[in-house]
Amino acid sequence: MKRIAFYLLLFSVHLMFAQSKHAITHEDMWLLKRVGTPAISPDGKWVVFSVLEPSYDSKEQINDLWIVPSDASAPPRKITAGKAAESSYSWSPDSRFIAFVAKRDGEEESQIYTLNLAQGGEAQKLTKLSGGASGPKWSPDGSKILFTSEVYPLCYADSTNKKMIEEKKKIKYKARVYTNFPIRNWDHWLDEKQTHVFVQSVHPDSMALNLFSNVAISKEAGFSFFSASWTPDSKHIVFAASTNNNTAAYQEPTSQLFSISISGGDANQITSSQENYENPDFSLDGNYLICIYSQNNNNKVYNQNRIVRFDWPSMKNKIILNSKLDRPIQSYSVAPNKLYLAVEDRGHNVIYTINISNSGLTKQSKESIGSYSNLSCSKTTPEIVVGNYESATMPPEVVRITEEKSHYSLSYFNKVKLSELELNPIEEIWFNSSRGKQIRSVLVKPAGFDASKKYPLLVLIHGGPAGAWLDNWSYRWNYQLLAKPGYILLATDFTGSTGYGEKFSQDIALDPFKGPGDEINEAAADAINRFAFIDGTKQAAGGASYGGHLANWLQATTSHYKCLISHAGLVNSISQWGTSDAIFNRETMNGGTPWSASKTWKEQNPFMYADQFKTPMLVTVGELDYRVPVNNSIENWHILQRQKVPSKLIVFPEENHWILKAENSRFFYQEVQAWLEKYLK
């Protein structure tokens, strides 16, 4: 009996510790496994996806492919091994093979491999191109794979492209020469290379054919490729591309659809309006071409994407399938007779279905929390649908979508670790602004929250401005980690945010900072009045990108925040226009060029109010950020130092617009939390 009592005591102690939870740390967050996009087999039986096992040492990270039966009859199992990452996986029509992209055995560029899942064995290398290969898609008849590769202009044969690569390496001088806009994109300088579409037989020792060898538009200065799809007969490719990307300095370039035979020849343009057409696909019966489109060059700061249908192959009878749905589409997948859409709606990505023939619209998902993404449909009847599902308390996992209960899990890689963490779900609150708009905010409480206590308020500002605070998991601004030290987190979807209708997103035009800034301040005041546990005397605010812009605007226009944080934020709208990788959309926002008569450039520019900067500010930026280049953060720092404002500048030499490296992320969060503690505790 004593022995039994002893083991019962041990069990009780073990249970007590097992049930205790702790607040999240950066290590907890960063080391959670990252589950990738699922791809369901055409027969609906299997789902392939990637899993990244992170490490603070990038050389120790593991990224492999896993497979799981779609009926959850067995747990996921790994089908590739090694530290070389696999990506861009695609099923063959007979559901026997997958094609994927990897860089193996000392390769300089990533290549395409195929893996026989029906018989097993090692993956076989398919491509051997000097420019690498990516984005494999099987032809409907299963005999070929289309993919893309980077090539120098007019180097249509791989031998020619390889020779050009070697010649470039021999050049002794280092110079970048441009005659056309743009010159940079996101975090890299643009060069002459273009993305071309290739087709290759899946038989061993076959050769890749560059389909753009005789395509006239690929020789134009403004050519830029976006996406491609097989036609139902496996004889042609439809692709989206721009022919006027070099006009981006003074207008919005257009993306049109083109068709080309895999036997060669020139491409035929099959759309011709001033609208954008991208992501082409086909209905399973082959009767319709489906794509995403949006309006263009209409003096709007934001145009919501829509999904359209054309008769195929005539390209007649253009029909907007989601005309009754005033929400942006995040992704779509084709099923028999219908489309599955992941749609952003007031802070959640939800699922809708659309009947392809009659545009019938149905909301599929029933969850009131979380967000869906990356939907993938089988080709069977009835269809089987999978996707990623996540929330503010759970990173993405793979789920099967069902009509009965929204979804059930196919993967659960982080279940045990998450069970050890105290994570609070988001709470949504709404208020009526002084401009008569209904404004939504997300509120997150810290671990160990006690309603009888008072907590400082951290106001978080999203980027974009065409963005929103979703019920999802983030590594850039993780709700849980930011709230952890003992803050109430408030994140507001101000005018200009997405998921509330196209007009709400467009209303930010000519009012980039004042209106949104007022709404952020009003949302904070509303939350303070509503919740007794918020200490209104201790407020801080911060954000990144457009959120950094707005943090700088708050610096210029109010002093009731104890401190501010601006990551990748503009302080001078004019110098941002002059150095960013994209400029024309900034003219649309401000009502003309910086030298025009538009008052917005001056009246809503933080730089013009530099004499009012008073609030202590942490300024951070990635040196490889070409969207909001480092000069704006340096200007901000100079103003703060000139005005004798307590401030700190942190520059990350290896980061772009986002902080992506593990140790840099850990340091960033440490600095943010130290800055907040200094002024709020």
Side-chain angles (χ1 to χ4, degrees):
M1 290 297 294
K2 290 183 178 180
R3 179 174 294 181
I4 293 174
F6 174 74
Y7 282 117
L8 284 174
L9 177 62
L10 282 181
F11 177 76
S12 299
V13 171
H14 173 77
L15 186 62
M16 179 182 68
F17 279 101
Q19 290 176 340
S20 65
K21 296 186 177 185
H22 65 269
I24 193 171
T25 65
H26 189 274
E27 290 72 20
D28 291 326
M29 177 194 74
W30 195 264
L31 297 178
L32 289 170
K33 293 182 174 60
R34 305 186 189 185
V35 178
T37 300
I40 194 167
S41 58
D43 64 11
K45 295 180 180 179
W46 298 97
V47 183
V48 166
F49 56 95
S50 64
V51 178
L52 171 66
E53 299 180 42
S55 169
Y56 280 94
D57 182 350
S58 60
K59 296 179 182 179
E60 297 301 317
Q61 289 191 152
I62 298 173
N63 191 345
D64 288 314
L65 298 184
W66 291 66
I67 193 169
V68 65
S70 64
D71 61 2
S73 58
R77 61 181 175 87
K78 189 185 294 190
I79 57 174
T80 62
K83 293 181 180 179
E86 291 90 14
S87 62
S88 299
Y89 29 92
S90 173
W91 284 93
S92 63
D94 62 5
S95 301
R96 292 169 55 85
F97 294 81
I98 60 168
F100 61 87
V101 174
K103 186 189 293 185
R104 295 181 170 180
D105 303 326
E107 295 169 335
E108 292 188 7
E109 301 291 344
S110 296
Q111 302 294 342
I112 293 173
Y113 289 76
T114 60
L115 179 62
N116 189 330
L117 293 178
Q119 297 180 353
E122 293 294 325
Q124 304 298 310
K125 184 192 289 190
L126 179 69
T127 63
K128 301 175 182 178
L129 292 180
S130 57
S134 60
K137 293 184 179 180
W138 295 77
S139 61
D141 64 10
S143 65
K144 300 177 180 64
I145 292 178
L146 79 80
F147 58 90
T148 60
S149 183
E150 299 297 307
V151 303
Y152 282 96
L154 306 180
C155 295
Y156 298 110
D158 190 55
S159 58
T160 308
N161 193 56
K162 185 176 182 180
K163 182 178 179 181
M164 178 62 73
I165 293 173
E166 295 302 320
E167 291 297 321
K168 292 287 185 180
K169 291 179 180 179
K170 295 177 183 178
I171 296 176
K172 294 183 178 181
Y173 64 84
K174 298 296 181 183
R176 299 185 178 102
V177 181
Y178 298 94
T179 57
N180 288 299
F181 189 90
I183 62 174
R184 301 193 294 189
N185 181 51
W186 194 251
D187 61 359
H188 63 280
W189 290 81
L190 300 178
D191 58 22
E192 313 102 295
K193 291 196 290 290
Q194 298 176 331
T195 301
H196 285 191
V197 175
F198 288 72
V199 168
Q200 184 169 341
S201 168
V202 297
H203 296 298
D205 302 320
S206 59
M207 299 293 292
L209 171 67
N210 186 339
L211 292 186
F212 286 177
S213 297
N214 296 305
V215 172
I217 60 172
S218 70
K219 301 175 176 63
E220 297 179 11
F223 175 75
S224 182
F225 167 85
F226 296 115
S227 54
S229 180
W230 286 96
T231 57
D233 61 7
S234 299
K235 296 180 179 179
H236 294 79
I237 303 295
V238 170
F239 65 92
S242 174
T243 59
N244 61 348
N245 198 49
N246 58 331
T247 67
Y250 52 85
Q251 67 174 14
E252 295 176 348
T254 58
S255 173
Q256 301 296 327
L257 298 184
F258 301 82
S259 174
I260 186 172
S261 170
I262 64 170
S263 299
D266 202 357
N268 298 313
Q269 186 169 337
I270 58 176
T271 57
S272 58
S273 69
Q274 288 302 305
E275 299 160 329
N276 283 325
Y277 296 91
E278 296 179 357
N279 302 105
D281 206 340
F282 291 87
S283 61
L284 298 190
D285 59 14
N287 292 331
Y288 301 108
L289 183 150
I290 299 157
C291 65
I292 297 291
Y293 102 105
S294 60
Q295 295 182 357
N296 207 32
N297 287 306
N298 58 352
N299 297 314
K300 301 292 186 182
V301 296
Y302 170 82
N303 285 299
Q304 199 158 270
N305 61 11
R306 292 170 170 82
I307 194 159
V308 298
R309 182 201 83 192
F310 293 93
D311 292 349
W312 181 259
S314 70
M315 290 299 291
K316 295 180 179 179
N317 300 320
K318 173 184 171 181
I319 301 294
I320 300 175
L321 293 175
N322 65 324
S323 59
K324 298 179 181 179
L325 184 62
D326 187 18
R327 294 290 186 270
I329 299 169
Q330 302 303 314
S331 64
Y332 79 93
S333 184
V334 181
N337 305 315
K338 68 177 72 169
L339 304 176
Y340 279 78
L341 312 177
V343 177
E344 184 185 344
D345 182 23
R346 300 190 298 177
H348 303 267
N349 284 344
V350 298
I351 300 173
Y352 279 84
T353 61
I354 290 182
N355 186 293
I356 298 175
S357 61
N358 63 20
S359 303
L361 184 68
T362 304
K363 186 176 180 180
Q364 174 82 16
S365 55
K366 300 176 178 63
E367 291 285 354
S368 59
I369 61 174
S371 292
Y372 296 93
S373 60
N374 304 319
L375 304 181
S376 179
C377 301
S378 70
K379 310 308 179 187
T380 57
T381 303
E383 66 275 1
I384 298 173
V385 186
V386 297
N388 289 126
Y389 176 76
E390 61 185 301
S391 72
T393 60
M394 183 187 81
E397 294 281 1
V398 176
V399 298
R400 178 169 171 175
I401 313 299
T402 64
E403 292 186 5
E404 295 77 21
K405 61 171 189 174
S406 291
H407 71 258
Y408 61 81
S409 296
L410 295 179
S411 75
Y412 27 81
F413 285 88
N414 295 302
K415 184 176 181 179
V416 173
K417 184 61 180 177
L418 291 173
S419 69
E420 301 170 356
L421 304 177
E422 182 179 347
L423 304 172
N424 288 320
I426 66 168
E427 300 176 33
E428 297 182 342
I429 56 177
W430 294 75
F431 82 100
N432 289 319
S433 73
S434 60
R435 298 194 290 181
K437 293 187 176 183
Q438 279 201 320
I439 303 295
R440 168 186 171 269
S441 294
V442 166
L443 185 142
V444 181
K445 298 171 183 174
F449 173 77
D450 182 347
S452 67
K453 295 182 178 179
K454 288 277 191 178
Y455 294 87
L457 182 67
L458 174 56
V459 174
L460 196 60
I461 312 170
H462 72 67
W469 291 115
L470 301 181
D471 187 0
N472 66 352
W473 187 266
S474 173
Y475 293 91
R476 187 184 190 188
W477 291 111
N478 186 270
Y479 300 147
Q480 311 293 337
L481 193 55
L482 288 169
K484 170 202 169 183
Y487 307 122
I488 299 298
L489 189 69
L490 186 74
T492 299
D493 283 348
F494 48 82
T495 295
S497 303
T498 52
Y500 303 91
E502 188 174 43
K503 184 179 184 303
F504 189 88
S505 303
Q506 293 175 342
D507 281 350
I508 197 173
L510 305 183
D511 184 23
F513 301 138
K514 185 181 185 307
D518 290 346
E519 289 167 348
I520 290 167
N521 293 333
E522 290 175 17
D526 174 77
I528 291 168
N529 290 332
R530 190 181 302 200
F531 302 110
F533 52 76
I534 297 179
D535 184 351
T537 67
K538 295 180 179 179
Q539 299 181 60
S545 192
Y546 213 88
H549 306 355
L550 281 168
N552 294 336
W553 177 255
L554 297 179
Q555 173 71 275
T557 57
T558 183
S559 60
H560 76 266
Y561 293 102
K562 296 297 184 182
C563 67
L564 295 166
I565 300 166
S566 175
H567 176 76
L570 77 79
V571 75
N572 187 341
S573 303
I574 295 175
S575 62
Q576 165 71 349
W577 175 92
T579 56
S580 179
D581 58 355
I583 63 175
F584 182 72
N585 59 335
R586 307 183 195 285
E587 297 178 24
T588 305
M589 175 68 80
N590 289 278
T593 60
W595 54 88
S596 70
S598 172
K599 295 186 296 182
T600 308
W601 286 104
K602 181 178 181 180
E603 293 180 355
Q604 297 204 31
N605 186 349
F607 181 85
M608 298 300 180
Y609 304 88
D611 62 337
Q612 299 181 36
F613 284 24
K614 299 174 182 177
T615 305
M617 175 171 270
L618 173 65
V619 180
T620 64
V621 66
E623 200 165 347
L624 300 180
D625 184 355
Y626 300 147
R627 185 57 44 91
V628 186
V630 66
N631 64 287
N632 249 283
S633 294
I634 292 175
E635 281 189 70
N636 197 6
W637 170 249
H638 286 175
I639 294 171
L640 294 166
Q641 291 292 293
R642 177 64 180 81
Q643 294 297 96
K644 302 178 182 179
V645 178
S647 50
K648 180 182 285 191
L649 172 68
I650 302 175
V651 180
F652 294 91
E654 297 178 322
E655 299 290 2
N656 57 25
H657 200 54
W658 298 338
I659 299 175
L660 301 175
K661 296 181 182 296
E663 292 292 358
N664 289 344
S665 174
R666 177 155 56 183
F667 178 71
F668 171 78
Y669 274 100
Q670 288 172 352
E671 289 294 307
V672 166
Q673 290 170 347
W675 191 255
L676 293 173
E677 182 176 10
K678 182 176 181 179
Y679 292 98
L680 294 184
K681 291 292 184 73

